[in-house]
């Protein structure tokens, strides 16, 4: 009995200690995604010129390549001149990597790893080579420093992903993204353990793949902006080296303007002037599902192109076909009758099944957006849920698909082109509270962040993808209960700069655009404004897709601004504190911000000399006036009716969109005003 | 007689007017390189959504591509939403381009153009399509603005280059430079009308070309960092589209460590352990000129690779072969005797003549560094002068070569990796005062800026090449008498930002490295220091090539700093003014700088928390103390002996190199001290 008691006490104390250490650990380490298990220790592994790295296991270019890159990144990050610049083979070293097998990057792969950092030794052991890569990324996130040294923080980590499919989709059709953009984003993806690059290669605005069989696809449908087959092989190999598989998407039968500009004979209407689309939106041109030539074209094209992508999954889009051109074609109406296809959904399912047969012959599994989820589509298809519950459906198509026997991937909730805050996406759990059987759960492969490119160019795409995608990657990899926002923000701040080290341009390119706007005047005042403004959200920047063409300028103020505007986030948090009566900490900060915005207008006037600064003048001026009034009111703890009305009127103006952005502190300014009205003497 | 007088008066007044307008014109326009003839007018061509561009002439992808890029760059630069995003063919437009022929990019090409900007019409007429491209670049440099509009400044320009060969060499062997680095630098080259990209593809540190015949070249000699043949074709096509020809260099028989690591049987020593070199310098491994297999290898390799480069000139290096391994080989000594080759120079000439025969069969003209200029080398060879007069030779090898009947290109004076000031390079005239016959002058094709890459990586290469190369490009293109430094600096400042618009990273990447150094603390204080420090010059940063390996970190303070440190240039000029008794303008500026450096140390202390900031502490502290003492002395117009000695002692410390850089204001600080000692009351 006594023994038992001691055991219970021991267990409890161990449990309590672990609870404590979990919180402390979250504070101590800046890991993202957070590992499945981590035990802290106080060892420091010093990073000096003697660091060596060895690889034990099969000869594997993937790990060798990763180890070389690890050494380069470590040297660049720390400035340490490492003597031995290449990994050793099967010998002792200060960092030892071992693994058992080489992965083919399928959904059945094991990406788990164990990482132990002690004072004089780091070991990474993994089942597969890809697991070893994941461990190396974690190790790089353990780099820390004091005044005199860089070191790896001691830890024992046993890690494995929650989902086997952790993707980022990049749309290269609306705006073409050159090879170097893709490569640097693949590097960044690997650094946060994403493992699927979904390449949205075709759409109304362009067909981006070289075809030797159908050369008009690149000659007519690409404006010269496409990937050669060699370049595609290069990207696939580059991604594979990072443990990332590449899933191509050829969007059919809708979103087909570019294909039909090249081969109009495949279209649903004979007399239509098909053209590469320059605007954004949903358009009518659609492949004709009633013609044999359509399937001949697809089979020939896919036979040529599918082998470039060595993985099983093949995405055919299938979204947003409103069937307008189908309705307008007599032949197609007859075809529907003949085949007992009642609705256009039935006709599209007919088409999908034919396409699936083509893909099956090529050893590929058909994947499509959730419109393909119709009663008669076979369960071999993979459902990519993008509409989710938010667009009027009762239940998530993800859960529905899994329950009906389909493999499924979620993107609803991860549409980063909507320009919403990171919190919004981070808190979307792919499964949520759905009660699933083990089989159903297994069918939910994972999720994908989608970067649609109507409004992004190579200059700005990084700041749209990152750092939000790093936090979302944690949602896909880490245990469900890792969802503390304070911890996420703290760690994301560190990861944000690690992305820069990898070549991501999200921070540096802001100044480039600001210099372009100011015509190389001092950009300080514009930088202040850009830190409190956010681009218009949920597609309202380009209403109906009619404001911006593909070749419009994307070097505007809205292109500098990002979701989660830096100063706005801090100011809004500070105002919340202030109103919660935590004035001691918050009041000086609020005063500082208000003073900054008052004085900023003087700097702005100095550089307001050209047509691109002019639209920002009302913002700068009204913000300055508002700040001046508020500062006075708060300092005096008195407010007159006149002051109140003046501020109110200014806030109405500041609440309006301007230059395709919105001022992200208006709600806080309103709260401050209400607070003043309620708490201060009204004169 | 009267008529004649009037004519003379008219002529004189025209002449005087032209002199005046030349000066005014230099002030008004920010063109670089400066055109051969320009007449100013006061018209403004407004840039709005109605801008259209048309092309008249042969169907030519080069001009079409340039016109599309022109429209994109114009939209991005101005923020104007241009309605028609593609050029029109043979029709009226607001910007009309015409040309007579399509160029093959030979040295006989005509690159002249006439550009007329009036209120409602821009016309560009050129002999060749490449001339039209040059005109479009000039037109983009005429973009100007007022508060309400962007416009092209009115002008009539008749332009043509002084030299037919205007090159930039990039060494991709010491540090590999990926495709995107080359492409953005090609864009920048075209923007300042350079027309030769000399691609230094092989050296001791790597062989960067895929060979299908000799695959060990990329497998063993490249560390995985090489260009596929497809990528080479891509770069050649990309450059051709910009009117730039690509000249490859395969450096032989010296600088051959990498080749010999792959194929040791070609080496001059049988028992030697050939390895890819990691350090910098001149090394012994050399191809064996006495073996038939060497020539078989070169002929087979060049037969495979030469067709990738469609131009006549083919560079074989030929430099810095000290012949040590030749001296150590009995077989080679016997070979020399047998062939009556007295010196190693004679042996290398024997080698060069054999290589020239190989190249001639492939339709190529041999080009080599000036070591190949020996008495028996045939005049069909092209001499690339790199040692010039500076290294002990009595006469420039350029002039010597031209007089002896060789075509020649100059690089002496344009070695930008020596990290010297732009002035130094800008004032080197390729021909100088040499008296040449017309024939001799014609043989001087032009000049090349050389970017050797021992100390540059993709992160830093742009800041080493630009903006200095833009000013040097003016030396190659513009009339000899365009050499006013004040005007050059004024115009370079504007061009500097235009390079950024083209994707050159020279400005933005400085902050990236500073954030890496500070570990993402506030970089303001580091930025202040980086603006007065310059990297050590003339190869003293890496003495003997033994400090840095190819894989050492290049993310250090010295990598942020550049020649012509921004604030140092301004401070030094201001101190000169001050000493010339122009105190009214200069004194406040000097005080501001001294105050900045005093206060900067407080900011620096805040962020001095890691091993990479520590080495900068003495600089920051000593500079702060010096500035404080000087400020006091200047304010009081009094100096004590103690103060003098203290400042003197501090300046001795500040004059020492630190962190591979030097403080570029020490001479000015010393001048200030001398001034104070001479002019102020000594107490």
């Amino acid at each position: 009995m006594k023994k038992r008691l001691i055991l219970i006490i021991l267990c409890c104390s161990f449990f309590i200690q672990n609870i404590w250490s979990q919180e402390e650990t979250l504070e101590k380490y800046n890991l993202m995604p957070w590992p499945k298990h981590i035990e802290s220790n106080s060892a420091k592994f010093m990073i000096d010129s003697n660091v060596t790295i060895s690889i034990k296991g099969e000869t594997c270019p993937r790990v060798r390549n990763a180890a070389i890159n690890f050494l380069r990144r470590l040297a660049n990050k720390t400035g340490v001149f490492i003597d031995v610049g290449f990994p050793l083979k099967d010998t002792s070293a200060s960092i030892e990597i071992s693994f058992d097998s080489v992965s083919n990057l399928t959904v059945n792969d094991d990406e788990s790893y164990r990482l132990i950092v002690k004072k004089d030794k780091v070991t990474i052991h993994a089942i597969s080579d890809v697991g070893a890569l994941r461990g190396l990324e974690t190790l790089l996130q353990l780099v820390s420093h004091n005044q005199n040294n860089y070191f790896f923080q001691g830890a024992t980590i046993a890690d494995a992903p929650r989902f086997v499919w952790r993707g980022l989709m990049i749309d290269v059709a609306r705006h073409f993204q050159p090879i170097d953009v893709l490569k640097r984003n693949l590097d960044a993806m690997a650094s946060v353990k994403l493992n699927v690059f979904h390449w949205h290669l075709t759409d109304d605005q362009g067909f981006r793949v070289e075809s030797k069989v159908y050369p008009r696809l690149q000659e007519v449908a690409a404006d010269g902006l496409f990937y050669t087959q060699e370049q595609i092989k290069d990207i696939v190999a580059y991604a594979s080296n990072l443990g990332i598989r590449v899933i191509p998407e050829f969007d059919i039968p809708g979103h087909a303007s570019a294909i039909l500009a090249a081969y109009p004979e495949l279209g649903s209407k004979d007399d239509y002037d098909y053209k590469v689309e320059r605007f954004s939106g949903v358009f009518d041109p659609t492949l004709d599902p009633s013609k044999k030539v359509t399937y001949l074209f697809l089979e020939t094209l896919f036979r040529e192109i599918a082998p470039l992508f060595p993985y099983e999954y093949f995405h055919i889009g299938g979204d947003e076909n409103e069937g307008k051109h189908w309705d307008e074609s007599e032949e197609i109406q007859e075809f529907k009758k003949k085949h007992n296809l009642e609705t256009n959904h039935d006709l599209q399912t007919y088409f999908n099944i034919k396409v699936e047969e083509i893909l099956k012959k090529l050893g590929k599994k058909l994947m499509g957006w959730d419109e393909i989820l119709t009663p008669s589509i076979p369960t071999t298809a993979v459902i990519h849920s993008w509409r989710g519950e938010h667009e009027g459906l009762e239940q998530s198509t993800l859960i529905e698909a899994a329950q009906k026997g389909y493999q499924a991937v979620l993107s609803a909730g991860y549409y980063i082109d909507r320009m919403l805050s990171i919190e919004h996406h981070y808190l979307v759990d792919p499964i949520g509270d759905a009660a699933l059987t083990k089989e159903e759960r297994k069918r939910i492969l994972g999720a994908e962040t989608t970067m649609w490119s109507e409004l992004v160019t190579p200059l700005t795409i990084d700041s749209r993808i990152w750092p939000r995608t790093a936090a979302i990657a944690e949602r896909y990899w880490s245990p469900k209960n890792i969802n503390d926002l304070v911890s996420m923000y703290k760690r994301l701040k560190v990861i944000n700069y690690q992305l820069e080290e990898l070549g991501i341009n999200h921070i540096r390119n802001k100044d480039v655009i600001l210099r372009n706007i100011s015509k190389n005047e001092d950009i300080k005042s514009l930088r202040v404004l850009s830190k409190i403004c956010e681009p218009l959200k949920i597609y309202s920047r380009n209403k109906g897709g009619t404001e911006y063409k593909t070749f419009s300028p994307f070097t505007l103020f809205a292109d500098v601004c990002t979701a989660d505007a830096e100063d706005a986030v801090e100011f809004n948090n500070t105002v919340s504190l202030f109103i919660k009566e935590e004035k001691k900490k918050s009041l000086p900060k609020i005063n500082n911000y208000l003073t900054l915005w008052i004085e900023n207008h003087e700097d702005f006037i100095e550089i307001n000399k050209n047509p691109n600064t002019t639209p920002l003048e009302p913002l700068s001026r009204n913000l300055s006036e508002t700040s001046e009034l508020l500062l006075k009111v708060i300092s005096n703890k008195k407010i007159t009716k006149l002051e109140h009305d003046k501020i109110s009127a200014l806030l109405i103006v500041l609440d309006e969109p301007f230059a395709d952005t919105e001022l992200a502190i208006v709600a806080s300014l309103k709260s401050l005003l209400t607070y003043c009205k309620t708490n201060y003497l009204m004169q």
Side-chain angles (χ1 to χ4, degrees), chain A:
Chain A
M1 183 68 191
K2 214 173 164 185
K3 268 187 188 168
R4 230 168 137 181
L5 186 66
I6 290 173
L7 195 66
I8 289 169
I9 292 171
L10 270 175
C11 280
C12 284
S13 76
F14 180 76
F15 183 70
I16 289 165
Q17 196 190 329
N18 264 8
I19 287 176
W20 273 105
S21 68
Q22 168 78 352
E23 272 180 21
E24 277 171 15
T25 309
L26 273 166
E27 186 54 40
K28 177 175 171 187
Y29 298 97
N30 289 306
L31 299 171
M32 181 172 278
W34 193 255
K36 197 167 179 181
H37 299 290
I38 175 166
E39 264 179 56
S40 173
N41 72 52
S42 59
K44 288 187 170 71
F45 175 105
M46 291 300 157
I47 299 161
D48 59 25
S49 61
N50 301 319
V51 166
T52 52
I53 190 161
S54 74
I55 303 169
K56 210 170 134 183
E58 292 188 54
T59 300
C60 163
R62 201 177 273 147
V63 175
R64 188 179 146 77
N65 181 64
I68 292 171
N69 282 337
F70 174 89
L71 287 168
R72 302 293 172 271
R73 286 162 67 191
L74 189 64
N76 282 330
K77 197 183 176 78
T78 60
V80 169
F81 285 59
I82 297 169
D83 279 341
V84 181
F86 295 86
L88 311 168
K89 179 92 185 105
D90 292 328
T91 180
S92 181
S94 52
I95 303 172
E96 291 187 355
I97 306 171
S98 60
F99 60 94
D100 303 328
S101 64
V102 174
S103 166
N104 291 322
L105 306 183
T106 74
V107 293
N108 301 316
D109 279 353
D110 189 311
E111 296 177 84
S112 69
Y113 66 92
R114 291 184 63 87
L115 165 64
I116 303 170
V117 179
K118 294 186 191 164
K119 187 171 175 296
D120 298 311
K121 186 72 123 193
V122 174
T123 52
I124 295 175
H125 180 71
I127 308 295
S128 77
D129 56 343
V130 172
L133 266 53
R134 308 293 177 239
L136 278 171
E137 292 295 343
T138 304
L139 182 56
L140 269 173
Q141 292 187 348
L142 289 175
V143 172
S144 190
H145 70 272
N146 55 29
Q147 180 78 50
N148 302 312
N149 289 101
Y150 283 93
F151 54 86
F152 296 119
Q153 292 172 300
T156 299
I157 293 172
D159 200 6
R162 182 176 170 209
F163 292 103
V164 296
W165 188 293
R166 306 178 305 281
L168 171 65
M169 188 215 75
I170 297 181
D171 167 12
V172 298
R174 272 60 174 255
H175 278 103
F176 182 70
Q177 304 297 333
I179 293 295
D180 59 307
V181 174
L182 301 182
K183 284 189 174 175
R184 68 178 185 243
N185 277 286
L186 285 164
D187 288 337
M189 285 173 67
S191 79
V192 292
K193 302 184 173 59
L194 292 174
N195 69 350
V196 175
F197 168 44
H198 169 177
W199 205 350
H200 184 81
L201 283 161
T202 74
D203 216 302
D204 294 297
Q205 295 80 358
F207 188 96
R208 305 297 182 198
V209 178
E210 174 196 34
S211 166
K212 286 164 187 171
V213 190
Y214 297 112
R216 285 178 58 84
L217 286 172
Q218 65 269 20
E219 288 163 11
V220 174
D223 296 316
L225 301 169
F226 63 92
Y227 308 102
T228 64
Q229 297 193 6
E230 289 297 320
Q231 287 175 323
I232 290 173
K233 285 182 203 164
D234 182 35
I235 285 291
V236 169
Y238 192 90
S240 165
N241 248 338
L242 297 166
I244 296 172
R245 57 183 177 275
V246 179
I247 308 303
E249 178 184 348
F250 292 80
D251 204 348
I252 48 173
H255 287 278
S257 301
I259 297 175
L260 296 176
Y263 295 97
E265 59 270 32
L266 305 173
S268 298
K269 293 192 79 167
D270 290 339
D271 52 347
Y272 197 79
D273 184 17
Y274 292 108
K275 278 185 180 163
V276 174
E277 185 56 51
R278 306 293 172 201
F279 284 108
S280 305
V282 178
F283 302 96
D284 302 331
T286 311
L287 300 186
D288 185 339
S290 73
K291 284 184 197 155
K292 278 199 177 145
V293 67
T294 301
Y295 302 101
L296 178 65
F297 168 84
L298 291 173
E299 179 157 359
T300 312
L301 180 69
F302 291 165
R303 190 172 295 283
E304 179 189 14
I305 293 205
L308 299 173
F309 302 93
Y311 310 107
E312 196 183 5
Y313 294 77
F314 195 97
H315 207 301
I316 59 132
D319 55 319
E320 296 185 318
N321 169 26
E322 296 176 351
K324 190 166 162 253
H325 279 197
W326 289 355
D327 291 339
E328 288 166 13
S329 155
E330 276 180 33
E331 290 84 350
I332 292 175
Q333 291 310 313
E334 272 172 36
F335 183 86
K336 277 169 74 175
K337 271 181 213 152
K338 195 175 142 196
H339 288 80
N340 285 322
L341 301 165
E342 273 186 39
T343 65
N344 282 338
H345 285 299
D346 296 336
L347 178 56
Q348 188 161 346
T349 302
Y350 173 92
F351 172 85
N352 289 340
I353 290 171
K354 297 276 278 182
V355 173
E356 209 212 7
E357 282 162 16
I358 292 170
L359 290 175
K360 204 179 281 167
K361 281 193 270 180
L362 297 168
K364 301 291 181 189
K365 212 172 166 68
L366 179 145
M367 180 167 184
W369 300 103
D370 55 18
E371 282 95 333
I372 72 163
L373 182 56
T374 54
S376 47
I377 191 92
T379 55
T380 43
V382 184
I383 308 302
H384 193 163
S385 168
W386 71 279
R387 293 177 300 182
E389 310 177 63
H390 303 291
E391 322 245 343
L393 293 182
E394 293 238 331
Q395 193 193 20
S396 150
T397 47
L398 182 87
I399 304 299
E400 183 192 341
Q403 286 171 339
K404 286 184 175 163
Y406 300 89
Q407 285 189 333
V409 169
L410 184 66
S411 278
Y414 307 120
Y415 265 50
I416 50 175
D417 64 325
R418 291 159 65 99
M419 301 308 282
L420 298 171
S421 161
I422 180 57
E423 294 186 25
H424 172 87
H425 302 297
Y426 186 68
L427 295 178
V428 174
D429 192 89
I431 295 178
D433 301 325
L436 296 174
T437 66
K438 204 176 162 192
E439 279 303 298
E440 287 164 356
R441 167 63 187 83
K442 211 185 153 193
R443 284 189 209 113
I444 295 183
L445 299 176
E448 271 188 23
T449 308
T450 49
M451 178 74 265
W452 299 104
S453 68
E454 282 87 346
L455 299 179
V456 299
T457 68
L459 188 70
T460 59
I461 191 168
D462 292 9
S463 76
R464 274 52 191 146
I465 299 179
W466 308 101
R468 289 181 299 166
T469 293
I472 302 173
E474 176 159 287
R475 177 62 45 243
Y476 304 165
W477 175 283
S478 303
K480 190 178 170 181
N481 66 349
I482 299 298
N483 53 16
D484 180 73
L485 289 177
V486 175
S487 164
M488 179 274 282
Y489 274 117
K490 184 210 80 160
R491 291 176 291 120
L492 188 62
K493 213 168 172 174
V494 177
I495 301 302
N496 194 36
Y497 291 109
Q498 289 171 8
L499 292 163
E500 172 158 277
E501 290 167 19
L502 278 162
I504 294 297
N505 285 327
H506 59 319
I507 303 172
R508 71 192 92 174
N509 279 5
K510 289 186 184 185
D511 284 357
V512 174
I513 306 176
L514 290 180
R515 280 190 283 270
N516 192 53
I517 292 172
S518 76
K519 292 298 133 197
N520 315 317
E521 302 280 343
D522 186 347
I523 58 174
K524 211 177 62 189
S525 64
L526 291 179
R527 216 189 268 141
V528 168
L529 296 178
S530 74
K531 284 182 176 178
I532 44 175
C533 294
E534 296 181 357
L536 294 180
K537 298 182 200 321
I538 318 182
Y539 308 138
S540 53
R541 179 172 173 191
N542 190 25
K543 254 187 198 153
T546 55
E547 188 184 351
Y548 289 86
K549 292 185 184 181
T550 46
F551 51 75
S552 297
F554 290 95
T555 50
L556 308 175
F557 185 66
D559 300 301
V560 185
C561 298
T562 57
D564 307 298
E566 198 178 332
D567 285 359
V569 169
E570 203 190 5
F571 181 74
N572 295 340
N573 287 338
T574 310
V575 169
S576 294
L577 278 182
F578 179 82
I579 287 167
K580 277 194 224 145
E581 303 291 324
E582 295 175 39
K583 305 217 167 8
K584 209 169 160 185
K585 264 172 84 181
S586 59
L587 187 59
K589 251 193 195 169
I590 289 176
N591 288 343
N592 284 347
Y593 271 118
L594 296 175
T595 310
L596 174 68
W597 297 326
I598 295 167
E599 291 172 0
N600 194 59
H601 189 52
E602 283 170 44
D603 292 339
F604 176 81
I605 288 168
E606 285 292 307
I607 63 135
N608 181 22
K609 296 177 187 167
N610 77 62
N612 291 320
T613 51
T614 313
L616 305 175
E617 196 275 342
L619 162 72
S620 180
R621 179 170 33 82
N622 290 324
L623 176 63
S624 173
E625 283 176 27
T626 309
S627 301
E628 198 160 1
L629 286 165
L630 272 173
L631 188 66
K632 190 182 154 204
V633 166
I634 292 170
S635 306
N636 294 346
K637 297 194 174 182
K638 282 182 210 161
I639 185 166
T640 64
K641 175 137 198 331
L642 188 66
E643 282 165 342
H644 176 272
D645 293 351
K646 259 192 180 169
I647 296 171
S648 257
L650 283 164
L651 287 177
I652 289 169
V653 179
L654 287 173
D655 211 5
E656 290 293 310
F658 61 91
D660 286 351
T661 66
E662 59 190 35
L663 182 61
I665 53 166
V666 175
S668 294
L669 294 174
K670 283 183 185 170
S671 302
L672 270 184
L673 180 62
T674 309
Y675 178 90
C676 295
K677 194 182 161 189
T678 316
N679 292 280
Y680 295 160
L681 192 62
M682 184 72 125
Q683 292 182 311

